[in-house]
Each structure stands twice: as C-alpha cells, then as structure tokens.
Amino acid sequence: PRMADYRVAVFNTEKLMFGESEQSSKSIYYANKWDLVPEDLSAYASGKLTRPLKQIVFYIDNNFPEKWKPFIKEGVEQWNELFEKAGFKDAIKAVEFPSAQEDPEFDPDNIKYSCIRYAPIGIENAMGPSWVDPRSGEIINASVYVYHDIIKLLNNWMFVQISPANPALRGKSIPESTLMDGLRYVISHEVGHCLGFMHNMSASSVIPVDSLRSPSYTNKMGTTTSIMDYARFNYVAQPGDFEKGVKLTPPRFGAYDKFLIEWNYTWFPQAKNSEDEALILSEKVSKAIKDPIYRYGIQLSTPLDPRSQTEDLGNDAILASQYGIKNLKYIVKNLNEWLGNDDDDYQYRSEIYDAIVYQYIRYINHIYASVGGVYLTEAKLNDNLPLFKSVEKDKQKRALTFIMNQIDDLEWLDNKELMQKVTIMGSAKELIATVLAKAVIATPNKVLLSASISEDPYDFFECSNDVFDFVWNSAKSGKRLSKIEMYIQSEYVKSLLSGSNLNKAVSGAGINDLTSGKDLFSILRDEDRGGDFLKLMKMESEGSFSPVAGYNLPSTKFNISYNRESNFYGYLLKTRDVLKRAIKRSASENRHHYDLLLRQVESSINLQ
C-alpha cells in the first residue's frame, strides 16, 4: 500500500492500527490507486518508459450516441500524457464493449470490468465512483456514469459563461465541435476521480485574473492548474478577447494534475516497503507546497477559505466577478436578438435566464466567502507553513462593500423586453436584492471566527458599524425610501431583536447562525417562499464546515463569542435613536414605516 498524505488530493482508505508498542490505536490512511507495476523493472529504473504489467482499461457503452464515442475515448486516453511523467506508457486505454465472440465473459455489470456507462436520463451530471480493496486501497474497479443531459448542462455553461466572448455560441445550438470538446473535458475529469484523485478547489485561485484575458497565458494554462477543480469556462474573457486568441476552455491538464500522477503512480524501486516510500513522497510534497500551485484546497460543504471554492476563477474574486457580471449584463441585453425565432416556445430563454441568475449568485458567493474567511493550509509540522490565517481586514471590507453596492445595481436583471418572453415569474431583481440584504445583515456573526484568530481583526463591532451605516444611511439623510431600503431596515431590526434575545418569536436574516458559514444559496432557503426558483438555488450545505472529501479541518470547538446578546442590544439602542430622529424629518410616506419599527424596538425593550 502507498501511505496517503493529507496534503495531496488523493482519495484514501482509512485503517485502524493496533500496535503492540503503541499506547493507543491510531488511524492510518492508504492512498487509493491502481496497482501499476512496470513490465520491465530494469528499464523503468533506468528512466525508460515502460508499459505496466496490467493496463487500466475502460469499456465504452455501445449505447452512447456514435458522435460522442471518439471524445469519450479521448477523455480517457489523454491521461496517458501524464502517466508518461510517472514512467509508464500506454497505462490506460478505452475500448468499446466487446462482442460475445471477442469476450464471452464480458458483462458491464460485473465488477471486474470498468466501464463508462450511458444513462439515457434527463439529469445534468456525470460521476466517477471507484471500488477499492479495503486491505490496501488498491482500486479494483472504477466506472464513469454519464447522464444524457450533461450535454444540456454544457450548453448552458458555455452560453452563460463565454457566449459574450465567442459569437459562435450565441444561439440555442452550440457548435458540435465545441460541445464535444466540453464532453471530453467532463470525461477526463471523471476519469481523474477513477484514478483516485479528489477535487482540488484551490487550483484556479493561483491564476492572476488579468492573465485570463491574455492569449499567450490562457493557451498555455487554460483556466486552472487542475482539471480536478470546478473551474469551468473563461467567464473573465470579454467581447473581442476570443478574436485576439484568448482561450475560453479548461486546459487538457494543469501542473497540479501532473503532480498528482507523479505522486500517486511513480514506482520507487529503491523503496523496500511502504514506510520507505512514504518518506520519499512526504519530502516531495514538502518541497512542492512551497509553491501555491501545488497547494491542495479542501472541498467543504460551505466555503471557509475563499481560495477553495467551486466554479470560481482567478486570484481576485471581486475583479473576476466584475468581469463575469459585465458579461451577464451583456447577455441579458442581447438574448432576445441572439435567439431570434429559434426558441418559439420561450423555454430556452427561460432556462438561460434562470442560469444567468444562478451564475450571478455564484459570483456574489465567491466574494462573500472573503467576509469572515479563513485561509487554510494542509501542512505538516516541518513545512513551517501556517495552518490557518484570517483573511485580511481590507479584503473583507472591500468584499462587503461590493455586495452592498450590488443591491442598487440589479436593474439589468429585469429587462422588460426579455421578461415578456420568459415564463411568468416575479422580479429576480427584487428577490436577489432581498437575498443580498440578508447576507449583509448576517455578516457581524460571520466574522466572529475569523476575527478571533486575527492580529488585525475585522471584528464584530467594526463590521456591525459598517452594516449599521449601510442600513440607516437613507434614514440619516431623510431621503425617500425605496422598497428594498424599507425591507433592509425591517430585516435589520428583526435581526437585532433576535440577536439580543429580546424577542424570540422574531427571526432575523440568518443572524443566529453561529456556524457563520451560510452562503447566499443557503440564505435563499426561506421555506415561506418556495417555487422553482428556490429549487434552482438549493445547495447541499446547511452551513457547516464539513469536508466533502479529504481530512478534517483545524478544530474550532473552543471558539467562544462573548457578550453576544448585549452587543446586539447596544446596536438596538443606536437604532432606536436613529428611528426617533428619522420620524421627525422623514417624508410622510416613510413616517409610518419608521414609526412601526420604533414601536417594535421600544415594545421589545419595555417587555423585558
């Protein structure tokens, strides 16, 4: 067995060791890997490429559409490019299901055959599970399952993320060559899982955002340093960039993929046992992770480290999202013209509009993760790297300010010409504004963990002051309130009443979530709203920082928040004073609103 290393994105098999000389049992981990042994040991030891004794073989389902098959085969066999870095040639291959004459025993449901199966179901997904020998972590079978509507997902991704940059994608039907290359990418990603590789969600975060608009850089690096990341298409690219030569698609492989293959599959003839091998491999990792390209970013159910997120690009979430949002505005403005008469039942328009809203929330989530964020590093003692570090105060404040400003910049979502040609719905602009408002109001709790470990913290009080000023700016100036401003002020009062425990019946904007981990998708989950829109927004997370795959996080079990109720009470009293002054100088249409809020505050205080 190869001993696993929690600093490397390789699935593992856990065993419990009971040693005679040990004072307790302890967990040990084996790396999940195929048993690739060089056919010619002496040739391998001298640095020559050699075939493995047993190839990794995937059988391609005959039921796949014929035009898919060459791209599926390529998605599998392109991994040979990297296996050569580990000293193996022809390590992996893909063949179609054999006939009864070619292999009388063949049965795709027999676990001895690894297959790529076609599922003619309207599910927008693919997956690559594997089965291992529990004694050693050896992968004995791995199969990729491809649902038919993965093509639909690729279509939507490409339209929403890169159609502004590539005019050829501005239609209901994406060019077949582009779509099939996307399928190849999906297959290669899933085959990566079948080889034992986990997601590395930090892989795209090391790329400078402006480099994603560089022809030379993108043609060399693509959008990420690992295809095992969730980094899709180059949404940073702007109209005109494609014509300049900017690459819009993920790379065939990144530097981290090469590192994974070398770490998990290089044969070490000088190692006498697993312990010798582990020393060699551990030293390799310790040297590599000094370079951020080789950092493994753990996948969490809810983001904590803003560098390790799904569907993001680049090293600056605000800048990347600004580019992305600019592209979304461009699509909304031109969608009717681009589709013309090619969508006579309006269904595609509706699907793309939903996808645009969903993509917008992704961009905001990428920024929101920096508020109260914590940088996490998988490291060992001798690596001399910090295990955790608070996101810089300035970065947190800029992220929060950006989200605040977005609330007043959503008019583009309610494009009247487009809204007349999509499924009847309410206002996405207004719904998103309420979600962003709740996110802003929840931030004083969200920063608690990060502030507790920072030398220059963006703490509860500074964050609360920023939120307070944002909420009551209109009241202080005496301006006429918009609907969303009234909503924000009402939600803020509810949150203070809930946080100060003066009114347990009032629930605020996620302010009581001590996990501080809820992202905007989770905040959207108000049960009283319902509808297809919310189904679109659902995330698996319930707001806890639990690993989706990999090892555990640094413990936060001793993190305590002091004087929480009295802190909220202090801002409740400040709010009371603002409301009293606002009533005196506000326009008549605002007076009832302020009077109601003041009554809620004073009655809750007087009840105690």
Side-chain angles (χ1 to χ4, degrees):
R2 176 156 295 183
M3 307 303 292
D5 190 318
Y6 58 78
R7 301 169 296 174
V8 182
V10 174
F11 288 113
N12 62 80
T13 296
E14 182 180 4
K15 306 297 291 183
L16 197 60
M17 186 175 76
F18 301 92
E20 186 176 7
S21 60
E22 302 288 338
Q23 296 188 6
S24 70
S25 61
K26 69 175 182 179
S27 293
I28 59 172
Y29 300 89
Y30 297 145
N32 290 359
K33 63 189 294 288
W34 296 84
D35 187 21
L36 290 190
V37 179
E39 193 176 62
D40 186 335
L41 292 176
S42 60
Y44 187 93
S46 66
K48 296 178 180 178
L49 292 178
T50 181
R51 289 183 173 85
L53 285 174
K54 185 179 180 181
Q55 274 186 313
I56 303 169
V57 180
F58 284 91
Y59 294 88
I60 301 174
D61 198 328
N62 290 332
N63 292 313
F64 276 113
E66 286 299 320
K67 66 182 179 182
W68 292 20
K69 291 179 182 178
F71 299 93
I72 293 171
K73 181 178 175 66
E74 184 181 357
V76 176
E77 294 185 348
Q78 72 179 56
W79 281 95
N80 279 319
E81 300 167 20
L82 293 193
F83 273 113
E84 290 187 359
K85 306 296 182 183
F88 292 100
K89 71 175 181 178
D90 301 328
I92 187 171
K93 69 176 181 177
V95 298
E96 292 195 34
F97 281 4
S99 65
Q101 291 74 27
E102 293 169 325
D103 186 349
E105 294 184 357
F106 178 78
D107 179 354
D109 294 325
N110 186 332
I111 199 170
K112 78 183 250 188
Y113 296 99
S114 296
C115 300
I116 301 181
R117 303 298 299 271
Y118 174 60
I121 304 171
I123 295 176
E124 301 174 19
N125 200 8
M127 61 180 181
S130 59
W131 288 262
V132 303
D133 185 331
R135 300 168 298 179
S136 63
E138 178 190 351
I139 299 174
I140 55 178
N141 173 278
S143 291
V144 176
Y145 297 90
V146 182
Y147 301 97
H148 182 87
D149 272 6
I150 189 65
I151 295 296
K152 179 180 179 181
L153 181 61
L154 285 167
N155 178 298
N156 287 354
W157 276 346
M158 291 177 182
F159 195 108
V160 170
Q161 295 174 19
I162 56 175
S163 68
N166 186 353
L169 306 182
R170 297 171 187 173
K172 185 176 179 180
S173 297
I174 300 295
E176 190 171 293
S177 59
T178 305
L179 197 62
M180 288 298 101
D181 187 65
L183 177 63
R184 175 204 56 77
Y185 154 68
V186 169
I187 297 299
S188 61
H189 174 97
E190 300 304 336
V191 170
H193 287 316
C194 292
L195 297 175
F197 304 142
M198 294 189 290
H199 293 134
N200 179 2
M201 291 308 183
S202 73
S204 61
S205 69
V206 300
I207 296 180
V209 170
D210 284 335
S211 294
L212 293 169
R213 299 192 64 193
S214 162
S216 59
Y217 188 93
T218 54
N219 279 281
K220 179 181 179 181
M221 300 291 291
T223 56
T224 181
T225 60
S226 174
I227 64 169
M228 301 313 297
D229 189 5
Y230 275 0
R232 311 302 184 184
F233 301 93
N234 190 356
Y235 59 76
V236 168
Q238 298 295 293
D241 285 353
F242 181 69
E243 289 82 355
K244 296 174 184 175
V246 172
K247 192 172 186 290
L248 305 179
T249 54
R252 285 178 72 84
F253 293 111
Y256 191 78
D257 302 316
K258 176 178 176 288
F259 174 76
L260 282 178
I261 283 284
E262 291 180 337
W263 189 91
N264 210 30
Y265 285 101
T266 300
W267 181 269
F268 296 100
Q270 70 272 34
K272 297 179 182 178
N273 49 45
S274 295
E275 289 72 22
D276 285 353
E277 191 179 70
L279 291 174
I280 297 170
L281 289 167
S282 182
E283 184 178 357
K284 178 180 177 67
V285 179
S286 292
K287 288 180 179 178
I289 62 174
K290 299 296 190 293
D291 185 338
I293 287 177
Y294 301 107
R295 190 185 78 86
Y296 161 47
I298 192 170
Q299 182 183 3
L300 299 176
S301 55
T302 299
L304 178 58
D305 185 337
R307 301 171 302 179
S308 300
Q309 299 194 70
T310 63
E311 316 293 345
D312 64 330
L313 295 179
N315 64 350
D316 184 336
I318 292 179
L319 181 57
S321 296
Q322 284 176 322
Y323 281 127
I325 293 170
K326 188 176 180 180
N327 278 335
L328 295 183
K329 292 178 179 179
Y330 189 74
I331 297 173
V332 169
K333 181 181 178 181
N334 294 285
L335 186 59
N336 272 327
E337 180 184 344
W338 290 353
L339 294 180
N341 296 322
D342 198 24
D343 179 37
D344 60 356
D345 62 357
Y346 309 118
Q347 183 175 348
Y348 189 72
R349 280 175 173 82
S350 297
E351 290 175 357
I352 291 299
Y353 185 78
D354 284 349
I356 288 169
V357 174
Y358 195 37
Q359 189 72 20
Y360 174 80
I361 289 292
R362 283 198 186 104
Y363 294 149
I364 300 300
N365 262 331
H366 296 158
I367 298 168
Y368 191 54
S370 289
V371 184
V374 177
Y375 299 129
L376 302 172
T377 301
E378 303 292 308
K380 291 188 175 181
L381 182 64
N382 292 332
D383 293 333
N384 295 317
L385 294 172
L387 295 178
F388 51 89
K389 180 183 177 183
S390 173
V391 172
E392 300 85 350
K393 180 199 290 190
D394 177 65
K395 187 173 184 178
Q396 295 189 52
K397 289 173 72 71
R398 285 190 295 111
L400 181 56
T401 300
F402 183 90
I403 296 172
M404 290 173 175
N405 292 338
Q406 282 293 297
I407 295 175
D408 290 327
D409 188 29
L410 296 172
E411 199 65 40
W412 60 275
L413 276 168
D414 282 0
N415 180 285
K416 291 182 179 179
E417 182 184 357
L418 177 60
M419 299 308 291
Q420 291 172 352
K421 296 182 178 180
V422 297
T423 306
I424 296 175
M425 61 176 70
S427 168
K429 177 194 75 172
E430 292 185 1
L431 177 56
I432 296 302
T434 64
V435 173
L436 298 184
K438 288 188 175 187
V440 169
I441 292 170
T443 50
N445 258 357
K446 194 174 188 292
V447 302
L448 292 175
L449 174 63
S450 176
S452 71
I453 60 172
S454 175
E455 294 181 0
D456 182 23
Y458 186 43
D459 62 14
F460 176 88
F461 295 104
E462 187 169 356
C463 183
S464 293
N465 288 340
D466 289 342
V467 173
F468 184 89
D469 291 341
F470 165 74
V471 171
W472 300 116
N473 180 59
S474 299
K476 292 176 182 178
S477 64
K479 64 172 282 192
R480 181 175 298 175
L481 298 177
S482 65
K483 289 188 295 184
I484 186 59
E485 287 172 327
M486 287 186 180
Y487 175 85
I488 292 170
Q489 292 174 0
S490 297
E491 286 298 304
Y492 182 72
V493 168
K494 289 180 184 178
S495 74
L496 294 181
L497 293 173
S498 175
S500 57
N501 205 24
L502 288 180
N503 189 346
K504 293 182 180 180
V506 175
S507 60
I511 205 74
N512 283 322
D513 298 315
L514 288 176
T515 59
S516 306
K518 286 190 178 294
D519 59 17
L520 272 67
F521 291 101
S522 301
I523 294 172
L524 262 174
R525 279 177 152 180
D526 291 346
E527 296 300 328
D528 60 334
R529 289 190 179 273
D532 289 339
F533 187 83
L534 277 185
K535 292 179 183 177
L536 182 71
M537 296 299 182
K538 281 189 176 181
M539 288 279 282
E540 294 177 1
S541 164
E542 292 294 344
S544 58
F545 297 121
S546 56
V548 174
Y551 298 80
N552 292 325
L553 292 168
S555 171
T556 60
K557 62 187 176 183
F558 297 127
N559 186 55
I560 298 174
S561 174
Y562 289 102
N563 308 318
R564 184 169 170 275
E565 292 179 353
S566 62
N567 291 341
F568 279 111
Y569 181 70
Y571 284 94
L572 190 65
L573 297 180
K574 288 179 65 176
T575 295
R576 180 186 62 181
D577 296 339
V578 169
L579 288 170
K580 286 181 177 179
R581 291 192 294 269
I583 290 173
K584 295 178 181 179
R585 63 168 170 265
S586 64
S588 57
E589 58 266 36
N590 295 338
R591 200 166 295 141
H592 292 307
H593 166 73
Y594 288 133
D595 187 54
L596 176 61
L597 294 183
L598 181 60
R599 285 177 179 271
Q600 290 175 347
V601 171
E602 290 186 330
S603 63
S604 296
I605 293 173
N606 294 334
L607 281 173
Q608 304 305 308

